[in-house]
Amino acid sequence: MSFQAPKGVKEYVPPQASTFYAIRAAFAETARRAGYAHLETAVFEDTQLFARGVGESTDVVSKEMYTFTDRGGRSLTLRPEFTAGVLRAVLEYGLHRGQLPVKVWTDGPVFRAEAPQEGRYRQFFQLDLEAIGSEDPAVDAETIALAWQWYSAIGLTQVRLLLNSLGCKECRPIYRARLQEFLRALDLDEPTRARIEINPLRVLDDKRPEVRAQLEGAPLIGDHLCPDCKAYHDRVKQFLADLDIPWQDAPRLVRGLDYYTRTTFEFDHPLLGAQSGIGGGGRYDGLSEAIGGPPLPGIGFGLGLDRTVIALDREGVALDTPPRCEVYGVALGDEAARAMFRLLSELRAAGVAADMAFGGKGLKGAMKGADRSGARFALILGERDLAAEAVQVKDLTTAEQTEVPLAQVVDVLKGKVQ
């Protein structure tokens, strides 16, 4: 076969796909219990939504977006993140006119043109959760807590929470000016110097060692918070402490997108090396206005499914995933195949995972298929069994075999596998 998946695309196939599905299902349940409704958004959007919302000076917009012109001459972009598109949908469908905050979550593939490496892909998968329409420290803490509880629910024990505040429109301009003054005196390349004038906080997010070494003495946003922002940040910490959620103060944490204000956070996993960030988010109180909406505060996060799968593997966590097959049917003869086909349909309707041997295989070949399926029980049905209106039920763990009337087999197997 001459085709392969495009470079930088991470795909999940059995059996690993069952882990991928299980952690998504666990997140869906965590969000549901907290009152978050699921929504699906467009995979591609008007390019200007990201340019205005995410920020033209960010690496995401300036270097990493997959942008194309459609047949109507419109500039469209595969989503590089979820928040701008989710907020656009909330505004477009008027969800903000109802109960606030609007609490929603979504998931799916996200696209960035980056150099592929383990944990960093061009198509990657995220879980996204947003609370829109409330400026309350309790909402910030709830958002963080839900991600923390999900990581715990799936068995991760080494996740670290990094926490910072980026201030507001009152105190950040003062800090911005002092940071610019500091950065202008450094030995930086021209693209970085241009960034100093557009968004100097983004320089603090530079991962290059030669740049980071020069940033050691940079002024910190935490030392420049106004009284309101400091009080807000302290309240967020109080709520987290009430839930016994530990955090590390991260005074240089700025995240990679322009829309963040006040609370900002990241989840880090020490066993992932250079790509240790497995999720993060923050408050974005000015984003709605930036994309043409009314003033509407919000907070949310994106959690990386791909890196979470890697973290589970590094910690040696094996999730208890539902079996793909619990009962495997072996039919010997045409009439037996018809009866087995009906029987499997009844088992599935009763909540039992069931499969069967296809292609008219003999007993030996069909039983090999039963072993490979991972099923606990095999149903063996031949012409003599049909005449007796019974089926042979074989326990593939103990090799014990019993005859069960056809009319009772569904109830018998339900009791054994559930």
Side-chain angles (χ1 to χ4, degrees):
M1 207 265 292
S2 58
F3 295 101
Q4 294 181 326
K7 184 178 181 180
V9 171
K10 177 63 176 176
E11 297 179 303
Y12 294 88
V13 300
Q16 189 185 43
S18 63
T19 297
F20 186 85
Y21 179 84
I23 62 179
R24 289 174 61 212
F27 183 83
E29 181 59 18
T30 299
R32 185 195 65 81
R33 289 198 301 261
Y36 287 77
H38 186 255
L39 84 166
E40 292 285 350
T41 62
V43 175
F44 54 87
E45 299 269 7
D46 187 312
T47 300
Q48 282 303 304
L49 174 68
F50 301 117
R52 291 167 59 182
V54 175
E56 295 196 52
S57 69
T58 62
D59 285 349
V60 170
V61 173
S62 63
K63 300 177 182 179
E64 299 170 0
M65 295 202 311
Y66 281 101
T67 297
F68 60 96
T69 301
D70 74 356
R71 295 181 180 182
R74 293 172 288 265
S75 178
L76 301 174
T77 295
L78 296 178
R79 61 187 178 206
E81 57 93 49
F82 273 107
T83 302
V86 169
L87 182 55
R88 187 269 309 153
V90 166
L91 295 172
E92 182 174 345
Y93 295 100
L95 301 183
H96 61 297
R97 300 190 186 100
Q99 182 179 354
L100 297 178
V102 178
K103 301 170 78 172
V104 292
W105 74 275
T106 188
D107 69 315
V110 188
F111 306 88
R112 296 187 189 178
E114 299 187 283
Q117 54 185 292
E118 185 183 43
R120 185 182 291 274
Y121 308 114
R122 291 173 176 170
Q123 174 181 295
F124 54 102
F125 295 88
Q126 280 192 345
L127 297 164
D128 180 87
L129 180 142
E130 312 289 348
I132 298 167
S134 176
E135 190 175 6
D136 186 331
V139 175
D140 297 32
E142 176 185 82
T143 303
I144 296 169
L146 290 175
W148 184 266
Q149 290 160 4
W150 172 68
Y151 285 128
S152 298
I154 62 176
L156 289 178
T157 61
Q158 298 190 43
V159 176
R160 300 179 300 197
L161 168 60
L162 310 179
L163 189 63
N164 195 20
S165 173
L166 296 181
C168 66
K169 62 182 180 181
E170 302 299 328
C171 57
R172 195 154 73 181
I174 299 172
Y175 170 68
R176 185 179 188 274
R178 292 181 181 174
L179 179 61
Q180 285 178 315
E181 182 180 0
F182 172 85
L183 295 175
R184 287 168 184 151
L186 302 183
D187 181 20
L188 301 171
D189 56 63
E190 286 307 313
T192 306
R193 289 195 168 279
R195 184 169 290 164
I196 292 171
E197 307 308 318
I198 301 170
N199 188 349
L201 270 71
R202 289 284 294 109
V203 180
L204 297 179
D205 198 40
D206 199 306
K207 300 298 189 294
R208 292 172 294 177
E210 65 273 19
V211 176
R212 299 196 72 81
Q214 298 185 69
L215 296 175
E216 286 298 320
L220 302 176
I221 182 66
D223 297 331
H224 297 79
L225 296 179
C226 64
D228 285 348
C229 283
K230 186 177 186 310
Y232 192 99
H233 196 50
D234 287 343
R235 286 285 286 165
V236 173
K237 292 180 177 180
Q238 288 171 357
F239 281 116
L240 293 175
D242 289 341
L243 298 181
D244 295 322
I245 295 177
W247 71 86
Q248 297 179 19
D249 287 315
R252 299 183 188 278
L253 178 63
V254 298
R255 305 290 297 155
L257 309 178
D258 282 359
Y259 51 59
Y260 287 113
T261 59
R262 284 194 172 172
T263 304
T264 186
F265 55 92
E266 187 167 295
F267 295 100
D268 178 87
H269 198 288
L271 300 185
L272 267 62
Q275 307 300 330
S276 62
I278 61 174
R283 180 160 284 282
Y284 46 85
D285 292 346
L287 179 57
S288 178
E289 294 160 277
I291 64 173
L296 198 64
I299 185 168
F301 60 64
L303 307 180
L305 275 169
D306 308 280
R307 294 186 189 179
T308 299
V309 170
I310 296 172
L312 288 167
D313 181 64
R314 297 284 166 83
E315 285 199 32
V317 178
L319 295 185
D320 185 16
T321 58
R324 180 176 63 87
C325 182
E326 296 168 305
V327 176
Y328 193 87
V330 175
L332 306 174
D334 292 342
E335 290 303 311
R338 290 181 62 193
M340 182 65 72
F341 194 75
R342 291 192 300 270
L343 182 56
L344 292 191
S345 181
E346 293 173 14
L347 284 166
R348 292 166 182 167
V352 178
D355 199 358
M356 67 179 287
F358 293 99
K361 295 177 181 175
L363 180 61
K364 184 176 180 181
M367 291 305 295
K368 284 183 179 179
D371 290 334
R372 290 170 182 158
S373 74
R376 181 180 168 189
F377 297 98
L379 298 183
I380 305 169
L381 185 63
E383 301 301 331
R384 284 189 300 175
D385 300 305
L386 278 177
E389 297 185 346
V391 63
Q392 305 300 316
V393 177
K394 183 173 183 178
D395 187 320
L396 296 176
T397 304
T398 65
E400 180 183 355
Q401 184 168 310
T402 57
E403 184 175 274
V404 177
L406 277 171
Q408 299 175 19
V409 69
V410 172
D411 288 336
V412 168
L413 287 170
K414 276 178 61 179
K416 291 179 178 292
V417 303
Q418 294 179 350

